[in-house]
Amino acid sequence: MRWPRTIENWLPMRMNVLAIFVLLLRAGSGARQMGFEAGQQAYEACDYAKAAQLLLEAAAAEPRKAEIQLLLTKTQLELQQFDAAIKSGERAVALEPKSSAYHEWLGRAYGEKADHSSFMSALGFAKKARKEFQEAVELDEKNFAARQALIEFD
């Protein structure tokens, strides 16, 4: 391929390259979104193992997207992977600390871990669960699921 010598010939070629680059970026973003959507569909179909795989891939592609971390937390709870659910929930809360729902689900992960731990370990996880439910209610007093969970922990 021979490179154009004049600016009039060079500029259109550069614009074409730029347009192709933008299309590739959009395609990559769409593929990541499709991965999240596929994970969401698998979760809704109760195929939690598939959902976990798809959501882990989506989380690796978009580590700053709290919504993926939340759904991953819910999926890992369904799979009884409590340590992994806690880590995903902590990431979601770290990314969006003002989200009542994220605190609620982190509290649920701590609560499940408490239910499946020895007495001494369970006490620490129960305290963390209560703290997260309390934070969820403080952030949104209309979050009745968090309010109910808080009542059950008291």
Side-chain angles (χ1 to χ4, degrees):
M1 178 175 170
R2 204 172 129 190
W3 291 99
R5 292 182 184 254
T6 65
I7 192 74
E8 293 85 21
N9 293 335
W10 180 77
L11 191 57
M13 178 183 278
R14 186 168 183 176
M15 296 304 285
N16 286 339
V17 170
L18 182 61
I20 291 170
F21 180 72
V22 168
L23 286 174
L24 289 174
L25 280 177
R26 284 186 182 170
S29 175
R32 286 192 298 268
Q33 183 66 22
M34 285 179 20
F36 171 69
E37 288 174 1
Q40 193 170 25
Q41 289 173 354
Y43 177 84
E44 290 169 0
C46 301
D47 189 351
Y48 301 119
K50 182 178 179 182
Q53 177 187 1
L54 291 167
L55 292 168
L56 284 170
E57 291 171 5
E62 294 185 270
R64 309 279 309 151
K65 190 168 182 180
E67 184 180 16
I68 295 171
Q69 296 298 329
L70 175 63
L71 190 54
L72 191 53
T73 301
K74 293 177 179 182
T75 302
Q76 290 162 332
L77 284 173
E78 292 291 343
L79 293 170
Q80 296 188 353
Q81 298 173 347
F82 306 120
D83 291 327
I86 288 170
K87 287 180 184 174
S88 297
E90 288 172 343
R91 280 189 221 109
V93 167
L95 291 168
E96 290 196 27
K98 299 293 184 193
S99 171
S100 175
Y102 294 0
H103 283 280
E104 174 195 342
W105 280 97
L106 178 55
R108 291 184 185 283
Y110 283 135
E112 287 295 327
K113 181 66 175 177
D115 285 346
H116 294 85
S117 296
S118 67
F119 177 75
M120 295 304 288
S121 297
L123 186 59
F125 288 115
K127 287 180 180 178
K128 289 180 178 184
R130 187 186 188 294
K131 177 183 164 281
E132 293 301 325
F133 291 139
Q134 180 68 42
E135 182 70 21
V137 170
E138 288 173 9
L139 288 168
D140 179 6
E141 56 190 41
K142 293 180 183 177
N143 184 340
F144 295 111
R147 187 177 294 274
Q148 181 67 35
L150 183 60
I151 291 169
E152 289 174 11
F153 261 86
D154 280 343

